[in-house]
Amino acid sequence: MAELVTVTDPDDPRLADYRDLRDVQLRRHLEAEHGLFLAEGEKVVRRAVEGGHAPRSFLMAPRWLDGLADVLATTGAPCYVVDEALAEQVTGFHVHRGALASLERRPLPGVADVLDGARSVLVLEDIVDHTNVGAVFRSGAALGFDAVLLSPRCADPLYRRAVKVGMGAVFALPWTRLPDWYDALPQLGAAGFTTVALTLADDAVDITDAVAGVDRLALVLGTEGHGLSERWQSAADRRAVIPMAAGIDSLNVAAASAVACYVAARR
Amino acid sequence: MAELVTVTDPDDPRLADYRDLRDVQLRRHLEAEHGLFLAEGEKVVRRAVEGGHAPRSFLMAPRWLDGLADVLATTGAPCYVVDEALAEQVTGFHVHRGALASLERRPLPGVADVLDGARSVLVLEDIVDHTNVGAVFRSGAALGFDAVLLSPRCADPLYRRAVKVGMGAVFALPWTRLPDWYDALPQLGAAGFTTVALTLADDAVDITDAVAGVDRLALVLGTEGHGLSERWQSAADRRAVIPMAAGIDSLNVAAASAVACYVAARR
């Protein structure tokens, strides 16, 4: 059972994991160096713990204790009980969903482990927006994908905002980071996957046709601004597009990935 | 040709339209009372003007003048030229995309005018998040929908953030606000539309089946948190769901609307 510890001093060093949550640079350093990440909201905190991440501590206002009592019962980590004004003072923002947890990251699995048994895999190249990374995880999990691979420069899916937007899908889908960017797609090919890149390239074919008959599929998505790199576009086995109305910009990456996952999962 | 006016005083009253852009409450009042809205970014400013909205003024740093020269040539509205620090001081945030315009709202068309000739219409009930409203407009425009109807309490699609996320799709799609909430769907039925509500209700059928064979379609979307009201769910001709993996939450409204538009446009 977590020990409940009432904290009234915003400078209490035990709250260090929860400081300045809106300062992305600071959080990146802090989380990497301490091997932690934050979960926010009752549902997401629960999923993080149930997903096997050991809690370092919890931070919440008293009114959230009951809802998470069963989760708190499973751990010896301390639960810092604070009022909402102090929570805001420490974190730097109004914690709408009340409950926060700091949890331990785990070593990332190898690519082969993540691919083992997977039939439909998402591969994200350099998506730098945490909101988009979270949205892609959520859509992938909801629409039938089995795993996610991230390029070396893709944003951290355990960053608080990505976890939150993804509603904890990052705990449901096996994922890891690709060690190599340049040959990532040929290596997926060698592992038995057909790589299909979503792109606006001239030779892209309708996504429905591109995935038809594919057994093991790696669906490759790039960032909103620049799309996929030339290297990944040319290295993919197939290039696919979501047919769109004339004169309209591309969909944003969250919408495009949802449609692409929906179509691909029904191949 | 717009008159270029260099402004160096952040309190210059001519900049009133651009003040405190992150203060949602203040902006709502200001924009409603003056009948204006803001467009942000070269592409969106261009689309707003080309969409027929008369500019009241422009505000931009010198480096954006060339890119918008052809747009500025079409109007007599003043263009306030400021440095980026002053722009930030006035608006309250760092204007990444540089160019801003204040434009006149136009009277909303009648529902019958918006429906005239439309085969696929989106109907949004009480979506209060401007980002989601913008995303739905963008997906609808890209994926083949003809018009959008908003419930009386749906967020303003001309709010700056909605316009920006929608990449100006609000200027491409005819839209208006429904005067009546309670009987909105029966009235669409009387106008010849089959109303299909996206919902997690128990009797919802696969969206593909729900739209099959429908000629004039009104696809009805609710908000992320609570979904559609009981009234609209029960008043719709059909209830539809996007099939999802077991144990996964619903998609967010932007992802769900993209998938639903994609499927519905291919009926």
Side-chain angles (χ1 to χ4, degrees):
Chain A
M1 173 66 198
E3 184 193 1
L4 303 185
V5 182
T6 300
V7 177
T8 55
D9 174 7
D11 295 322
D12 191 312
R14 293 174 295 184
L15 305 187
D17 285 5
Y18 302 96
R19 293 213 184 280
D20 301 322
L21 295 185
R22 300 185 79 164
D23 185 332
V24 177
Q25 285 302 335
L26 180 145
R27 295 298 309 180
R28 275 196 193 129
H29 292 302
L30 187 151
E31 298 188 7
E33 287 163 12
H34 294 278
L36 65 87
F37 71 96
L38 281 226
E40 178 182 355
E42 178 181 332
K43 196 178 280 189
V44 171
V45 166
R46 176 183 304 279
R47 288 179 183 169
V49 174
E50 291 175 354
H53 289 279
R56 290 161 58 95
S57 65
F58 302 85
L59 178 92
M60 62 190 76
R63 66 187 172 109
W64 298 100
L65 289 169
D66 279 354
L68 281 165
D70 58 321
V71 174
L72 295 174
T74 64
T75 168
C79 177
Y80 302 118
V81 183
V82 299
D83 66 31
E84 298 189 16
L86 188 139
E88 184 167 348
Q89 204 175 341
V90 171
T91 62
F93 72 110
H94 182 65
V95 185
H96 292 285
R97 297 190 186 175
L100 291 165
S102 171
L103 302 111
E104 288 182 9
R105 291 174 184 253
R106 292 183 305 196
L108 290 180
V111 174
D113 291 333
V114 169
L115 295 180
D116 186 34
R119 182 171 176 262
S120 302
V121 178
L122 283 166
V123 190
L124 311 187
E125 189 191 37
D126 298 5
I127 298 183
V128 296
D129 182 291
H130 292 111
T131 301
N132 285 337
V133 170
V136 171
F137 267 84
R138 185 173 178 185
S139 292
L143 294 170
F145 271 67
D146 304 311
V148 182
L149 298 173
L150 307 177
S151 72
R153 287 190 280 192
C154 198
D156 176 12
L158 288 180
Y159 189 77
R160 177 181 58 90
R161 181 141 182 82
V163 172
K164 181 178 172 181
V165 170
M167 289 300 291
V170 69
F171 311 122
L173 282 182
W175 67 274
T176 195
R177 199 172 284 278
L178 293 159
D180 176 49
W181 168 75
Y182 190 81
D183 277 327
L185 299 195
Q187 285 163 4
L188 280 166
F193 285 81
T194 301
T195 52
V196 176
L198 203 64
T199 162
L200 300 173
D202 289 340
D203 66 344
V205 301
D206 187 321
I207 176 82
T208 304
D209 301 325
V211 298
V214 171
D215 179 21
R216 301 187 84 184
L217 170 70
L219 180 64
V220 184
L221 305 174
T223 195
E224 179 159 18
H226 303 286
L228 288 168
S229 66
E230 285 298 322
R231 169 62 187 167
W232 277 33
Q233 287 195 54
S234 62
D237 296 317
R238 305 179 186 182
R239 280 152 293 286
V241 69
I242 298 168
M244 273 176 263
I248 299 292
D249 284 310
S250 60
L251 293 162
N252 73 31
V253 68
S257 63
V259 171
C261 287
Y262 177 86
V263 173
R266 278 157 189 74
R267 70 187 181 277
Chain B
M1 175 66 197
E3 183 192 2
L4 304 185
V5 182
T6 299
V7 177
T8 55
D9 175 7
D11 296 322
D12 191 312
R14 292 174 295 183
L15 306 187
D17 286 4
Y18 302 95
R19 291 214 186 280
D20 300 321
L21 295 185
R22 299 186 79 164
D23 185 333
V24 177
Q25 285 302 336
L26 180 146
R27 295 299 308 182
R28 276 197 192 128
H29 292 303
L30 187 152
E31 297 188 7
E33 287 164 11
H34 294 279
L36 65 88
F37 70 96
L38 280 228
E40 179 183 356
E42 177 180 333
K43 196 178 280 189
V44 171
V45 166
R46 177 183 304 279
R47 288 178 184 170
V49 174
E50 291 174 355
H53 289 278
R56 290 161 58 97
S57 65
F58 302 84
L59 177 92
M60 65 190 76
R63 65 187 172 108
W64 298 99
L65 289 169
D66 279 354
L68 281 165
D70 58 322
V71 173
L72 296 173
T74 64
T75 167
C79 177
Y80 302 118
V81 183
V82 299
D83 66 31
E84 297 188 17
L86 188 139
E88 184 167 347
Q89 205 175 342
V90 171
T91 62
F93 72 111
H94 182 65
V95 185
H96 292 284
R97 298 190 183 175
L100 291 166
S102 172
L103 303 111
E104 289 182 10
R105 291 175 183 252
R106 292 183 305 196
L108 290 180
V111 174
D113 290 334
V114 168
L115 295 179
D116 187 34
R119 181 169 176 264
S120 303
V121 177
L122 283 166
V123 189
L124 311 186
E125 188 190 37
D126 299 4
I127 298 181
V128 296
D129 182 291
H130 291 112
T131 301
N132 285 336
V133 169
V136 171
F137 266 85
R138 185 173 176 184
S139 291
L143 294 170
F145 272 68
D146 304 310
V148 182
L149 298 174
L150 307 177
S151 72
R153 286 190 281 192
C154 198
D156 177 13
L158 287 178
Y159 188 76
R160 177 181 58 90
R161 182 141 183 81
V163 172
K164 182 178 173 182
V165 170
M167 290 300 291
V170 68
F171 311 123
L173 282 183
W175 66 275
T176 196
R177 198 172 284 277
L178 294 159
D180 175 50
W181 168 74
Y182 191 81
D183 278 326
L185 300 195
Q187 285 163 5
L188 280 166
F193 284 80
T194 300
T195 52
V196 176
L198 202 65
T199 160
L200 300 174
D202 289 340
D203 66 344
V205 301
D206 187 321
I207 176 83
T208 304
D209 301 325
V211 299
V214 171
D215 180 21
R216 301 187 83 184
L217 170 69
L219 180 64
V220 184
L221 305 175
T223 193
E224 178 160 18
H226 303 287
L228 287 169
S229 65
E230 286 298 321
R231 168 61 187 169
W232 277 33
Q233 288 195 56
S234 62
D237 296 317
R238 305 179 186 182
R239 279 154 293 286
V241 69
I242 298 168
M244 273 177 262
I248 299 291
D249 284 312
S250 60
L251 294 162
N252 74 31
V253 67
S257 63
V259 172
C261 287
Y262 178 86
V263 173
R266 279 158 188 73
R267 69 188 183 276

